[in-house]
């Protein structure tokens, strides 16, 4: 990926995160070191003076070795059971609510169906990481079906998301929800600042991001000639854009057949709820922790430190509906672990990570505690310094006049 300046290559990222031969295997001596580190971190877990930007005293290989072998196994049967569950619920919700056609039920349908659309996105996301099955062709087939249904260009997004994982925590090279520098922030007009910083406007950003990316970067997830992609990926991106257009044609035909109001109620409002879930969840996994999260440049960045800058979240009742997407730290370090093994893998490494693991605040059935978290972050996390190899979000002294 020489065309993407300064970024770690995808082959390198794959070797770092997914290839057992690329990291050291645990020996008896390592076991002793792991135990010592675990004890030390456990004692320091509540240490308020802990500096998250320090270099961790453990390696990526040691983290990998602490994860049970079972967690790396992918089951086609189990993966398809989640597809079957989600598709069945989506169809049942649509059929029952359309049949009853009660304005009392429609708002409940929109929330429930939008939530299920987001669950479907997560399954397509697993396909993009190769954690759905051991077959690349099957992963791409299922991923195209799941993502096209909710208007996501599968390969276009898969490739940019892969870039995000390979460069997470890097100020310039990260791809999604990366921080703007102060210089870029100052160039934004009134509406651009509102779109990035105002609640709930920012929760509708995903479709815009697909078309234009984020401030400071150019390109489109639909254009195979975009800076997002290498020339070798041209056919894949074109295929996904064609699938997206096909879904657009299906929706257009449905609107013509059943009327815009019906399709608004059945599909488009749930789609918007899905977008709100997507933006909120992905934002919260990289922002809004009580202690500032470090971002890196230059020699201070590496794959491990970038992964440890992510945040796990508890979504209460929605954890299982959303396929445990809140277990984000281990997922970022090892994206080929299937979602149904992430909780076990996280439990296995928490004591090793110690203070480098940000324990999520526990939620009740409904994660209402995250609303003030995201609002506070929007009001305080505006930009990072133009220079410096370890930087933290700063607040705009003007606090964005759109508030």
């Amino acid at each position: 990926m020489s065309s993407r300046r300064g970024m770690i290559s995808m082959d390198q990222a794959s070797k770092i995160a997914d290839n057992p031969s690329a990291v050291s295997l645990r020996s008896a001596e390592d076991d002793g070191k792991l135990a010592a580190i675990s004890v030390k971190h456990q004692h320091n877990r509540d240490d308020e003076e802990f500096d998250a930007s320090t270099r961790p005293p453990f390696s990526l290989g040691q983290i990998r070795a602490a994860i049970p072998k079972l967690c790396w196994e992918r089951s086609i049967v189990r993966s398809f059971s989640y597809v079957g569950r989600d598709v069945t619920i989506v169809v049942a919700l649509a059929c029952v609510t359309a049949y009853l056609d009660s304005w009392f039920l429609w708002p409940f349908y929109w929330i429930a169906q939008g939530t299920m659309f987001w669950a479907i996105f997560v399954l397509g996301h697993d396909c993009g990481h190769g954690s759905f099955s051991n077959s690349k062709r099957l992963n791409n087939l299922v991923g195209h079906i799941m993502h096209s249904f909710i208007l996501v260009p599968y390969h276009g997004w898969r490739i940019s998301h892969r870039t995000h994982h390979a460069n997470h925590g890097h100020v310039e090279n990260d791809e999604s929800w990366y921080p703007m520098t102060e210089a870029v922030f100052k160039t934004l007009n009134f509406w651009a600042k509102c779109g990035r910083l105002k609640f709930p406007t920012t929760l509708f950003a995903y479709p815009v991001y697909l078309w234009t990316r984020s401030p400071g970067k150019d390109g489109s997830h639909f254009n195979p000639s975009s800076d997002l992609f290498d020339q070798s990926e041209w056919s894949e991106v074109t295929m996904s854009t064609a699938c997206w257009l096909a879904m657009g044609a299906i929706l257009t035909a449905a609107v013509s057949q059943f009327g815009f109001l019906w399709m608004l109620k059945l599909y488009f409002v749930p789609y918007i709820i899905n977008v709100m879930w997507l933006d909120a969840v992905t934002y919260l996994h990289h922002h809004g922790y009580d202690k500032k999260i470090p971002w890196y440049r230059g020699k201070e960045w590496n794959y491990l430190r970038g992964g440890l800058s992510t945040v796990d979240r508890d979504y209460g009742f929605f954890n299982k509906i959303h396929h445990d997407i809140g277990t984000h730290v281990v997922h970022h370090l090892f994206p080929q672990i299937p979602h149904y093994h992430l909780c076990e893998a996280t439990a296995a490494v928490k004591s090793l990570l110690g203070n480098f693991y940000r324990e999520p605040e526990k939620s009740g059935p409904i994660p209402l505690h995250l609303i003030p978290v995201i609002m506070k972050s929007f009001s305080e996390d505006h930009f990072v310094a133009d220079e410096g190899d370890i930087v933290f979000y700063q607040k705009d002294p003007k606090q964005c006049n759109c508030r």
Side-chain angles (χ1 to χ4, degrees), residues 17-75:
D18 304 319
N19 187 348
S21 64
V23 294
S24 60
L25 297 179
R26 187 170 66 185
S27 64
E29 181 180 357
D30 289 330
D31 284 336
K33 292 178 181 178
L34 283 171
I37 292 170
S38 297
V39 172
K40 178 181 178 182
H41 285 194
Q42 190 62 44
H43 284 301
N44 291 336
R45 186 170 291 279
D46 297 323
D47 185 1
E48 294 183 357
E49 301 302 319
F50 175 73
D51 182 1
S53 66
T54 58
R55 289 187 178 272
F58 46 79
S59 69
L60 188 67
Q62 288 173 321
I63 301 174
R64 185 185 184 99
I67 298 175
K69 291 182 179 180
L70 176 65
C71 294
W72 304 94
E73 296 179 3
R74 303 163 212 158
S75 167

Side-chain angles (χ1 to χ4, degrees), residues 113-400:
Q113 193 71 297
T115 300
M116 291 310 303
F117 280 16
W118 165 234
I120 283 177
F121 175 91
V122 176
L123 292 180
H125 157 269
D126 282 4
C127 292
H129 280 302
S131 61
F132 186 86
S133 76
N134 291 320
S135 169
K136 183 178 180 179
R137 287 186 178 181
L138 181 62
N139 291 336
N140 289 341
L141 174 62
V142 176
H144 267 111
I145 295 172
M146 304 299 274
H147 272 187
S148 297
F149 174 70
I150 51 173
L151 295 176
V152 176
Y154 171 72
H155 279 307
W157 176 85
R158 175 187 65 80
I159 294 166
S160 76
H161 188 65
R162 184 183 63 183
T163 301
H164 164 58
H165 269 259
N167 298 276
H168 46 205
H170 194 292
V171 175
E172 282 85 19
N173 296 340
D174 204 343
E175 174 57 32
S176 59
W177 289 126
Y178 58 89
M180 289 180 286
T181 62
E182 184 174 8
V184 171
F185 181 84
K186 289 180 177 179
T187 66
L188 299 183
N189 60 31
F190 172 88
W191 295 110
K193 288 183 178 180
C194 287
R196 178 67 186 248
L197 302 174
K198 187 172 181 177
F199 180 89
T201 309
T202 310
L203 301 185
F204 302 94
Y206 184 67
V208 178
Y209 164 71
L210 289 178
W211 283 101
T212 64
R213 297 175 78 188
S214 299
K217 294 191 177 183
D218 297 321
S220 169
H221 289 75
F222 300 94
N223 182 2
S225 299
S226 168
D227 290 342
L228 277 165
F229 314 117
D230 287 336
Q231 185 62 35
S232 62
E233 296 161 337
W234 195 93
S235 60
E236 292 180 327
V237 176
T238 301
M239 178 189 302
S240 295
T241 300
C243 289
W244 186 93
L245 289 171
M247 183 62 192
I250 291 172
L251 291 173
T252 301
V255 168
S256 176
Q257 178 68 30
F258 303 108
F260 178 75
L261 180 60
W262 262 105
M263 290 306 298
L264 179 69
K265 294 189 294 183
L266 274 175
Y267 181 88
F268 292 110
V269 175
Y271 169 77
I272 293 172
I273 299 296
N274 151 68
V275 167
M276 294 177 69
W277 267 115
L278 191 155
D279 280 320
V281 169
T282 54
Y283 184 90
L284 284 166
H285 287 162
H286 300 274
H287 302 80
Y289 198 69
D290 289 341
K291 299 175 184 177
K292 291 294 184 180
I293 298 172
W295 290 81
Y296 303 97
R297 291 187 177 101
K299 64 181 181 180
E300 291 294 340
W301 180 88
N302 62 43
Y303 184 87
L304 175 58
R305 296 180 88 182
L308 294 176
S309 69
T310 60
V311 181
D312 278 12
R313 297 291 184 183
D314 178 25
Y315 299 104
F317 170 76
F318 298 99
N319 283 332
K320 296 303 176 184
I321 296 176
H322 290 173
H323 308 294
D324 291 312
I325 194 65
T327 49
H328 206 65
V329 176
V330 167
H331 166 68
H332 247 284
L333 293 174
F334 306 107
Q336 286 194 338
I337 294 179
H339 75 263
Y340 42 83
H341 290 318
L342 285 174
C343 288
E344 183 181 355
T346 299
V349 303
K350 281 170 59 175
S351 61
L352 170 61
L353 300 183
N355 284 325
F356 287 93
Y357 176 74
R358 299 170 178 85
E359 189 77 37
E361 180 182 352
K362 295 301 179 183
S363 168
I366 308 298
L368 297 177
H369 69 292
L370 293 176
I371 295 178
V373 171
I374 199 169
M375 291 179 68
K376 184 174 184 289
S377 179
F378 286 159
S379 68
E380 296 182 355
D381 299 336
H382 295 162
F383 55 79
V384 297
D386 295 327
E387 299 179 353
D389 287 347
I390 301 178
V391 293
F392 297 84
Y393 266 110
Q394 301 177 38
K395 182 177 181 178
D396 177 20
K398 299 179 181 179
Q399 299 187 38
C400 184

Side-chain angles (χ1 to χ4, degrees), residues 76-96:
I76 292 180
V77 173
R78 190 167 182 180
S79 293
F80 268 111
S81 72
Y82 291 105
V83 173
R85 183 200 75 175
D86 289 359
V87 171
T88 299
I89 293 174
V90 166
V91 173
L93 283 172
C95 290
V96 171

